[in-house]
Amino acid sequence: MGIPQEHMAEMTGTTQASNRKEIWQNCRVFFLTPQIMVNDLTRGACPAAQVKCLVIDEAHKALGNYAYCQVVKELSNYTNQFRVLALSATPGSDAKAVQQVVSHLLIEKTARAHV
């Protein structure tokens, strides 16, 4: 059960831009840096309207013009029909920093793990 491995792809800086459009078209789950996703959204290689869930690790970095912020902004230019799952062990040093991350990633609900 689950998603077959052949429906998943890892894209790194060594993955040629010319090959990535085909990868976007043929797979369902992607592991990549936010910089690659921004580049592919900007040049039209990533089918933005088909993105349903964006998982962001180290979400506390979503400040200013960081690539995570750019990804969410680019996606929202095409659709508002996507969810963001943002993960961070260190969400921010104060409430203002946390609110900036929440705003930049268009987060509506937050949850805290009880350890």
Side-chain angles (χ1 to χ4, degrees):
M1 198 65 143
I3 299 172
Q5 191 167 359
E6 61 268 13
H7 291 209
M8 299 180 203
E10 177 182 2
M11 292 189 269
T12 67
T14 61
T15 308
Q16 294 294 313
S18 57
N19 296 336
R20 293 199 305 256
K21 187 168 188 168
E22 183 179 341
I23 294 169
W24 282 110
Q25 292 172 349
N26 294 325
C27 293
R28 295 174 45 206
V29 176
F30 306 91
F31 302 91
L32 62 153
T33 66
Q35 291 84 2
I36 288 174
M37 190 158 185
V38 167
N39 292 342
D40 287 358
L41 284 165
T42 303
R43 66 184 188 89
C46 171
Q50 294 179 15
V51 174
K52 302 301 179 209
C53 182
L54 178 66
V55 179
I56 297 175
D57 192 19
E58 302 289 327
H60 58 275
K61 294 180 180 179
L63 300 170
N65 201 32
Y66 190 73
Y68 291 150
C69 306
Q70 294 174 33
V71 167
V72 171
K73 184 177 179 182
E74 282 293 320
L75 280 176
S76 63
N77 286 337
Y78 295 94
T79 182
N80 62 359
Q81 299 296 310
F82 66 95
R83 304 259 180 174
V84 175
L85 173 59
L87 308 166
S88 180
T90 55
S93 57
D94 58 27
K96 184 178 178 182
V98 173
Q99 186 54 53
Q100 286 180 343
V101 171
V102 167
S103 296
H104 288 154
L105 299 180
L106 305 177
I107 295 170
E108 293 181 11
K109 295 181 182 181
T110 60
R112 190 173 103 184
H114 300 282
V115 194

